[in-house]
Amino acid sequence: MTDLIDAAVKALADRLTGGFDGVAKFVITGQGAIMLDARGVRAGDEPADVTLTADADLFRAIMEGRTTPMSAYMSGKLAVDGSLGTAMKLGAVLS
């Protein structure tokens, strides 16, 4: 697990109280993956309703509020595989 994944898990856990309605995975290319579900946030690579994939710079930009998940998706920088409804719920958590 990388320092980026560790920091992201902590930051998302601070934003996400009470778990996430669905199962989502955020893959940060070259770094690892983060799981969000009813149990909370953790590093891991498990099956999910939706998988979002981005590079480290884009993930940082989303977490810091310099870009939104929706604009990243519309520009083709954020890949989404699976349930768009779950992706939109995750987008609200990340924004």
Side-chain angles (χ1 to χ4, degrees):
M1 193 167 12
T2 67
D3 290 341
L4 177 60
I5 295 295
D6 289 338
V9 166
K10 182 182 179 333
L12 286 169
D14 289 346
R15 291 184 188 188
L16 188 70
T17 57
F20 180 72
D21 182 26
V23 180
K25 176 171 34 177
F26 203 119
V27 176
I28 304 171
T29 307
Q31 301 291 318
I34 302 163
M35 299 298 303
L36 296 93
D37 60 20
R39 295 181 290 167
V41 182
R42 65 191 174 284
D45 189 5
E46 304 161 22
D49 300 330
V50 65
T51 300
L52 286 75
T53 304
D55 65 25
D57 290 336
L58 179 61
F59 182 77
R60 282 189 197 97
I62 291 170
M63 292 298 295
E64 294 169 359
R66 292 183 283 121
T67 192
T68 66
M70 181 61 76
S71 65
Y73 173 71
M74 296 302 284
S75 69
K77 295 178 182 177
L78 177 65
V80 177
D81 182 28
S83 167
L84 288 179
T86 304
M88 290 176 71
K89 286 190 263 183
L90 180 57
V93 170
L94 294 173
S95 295

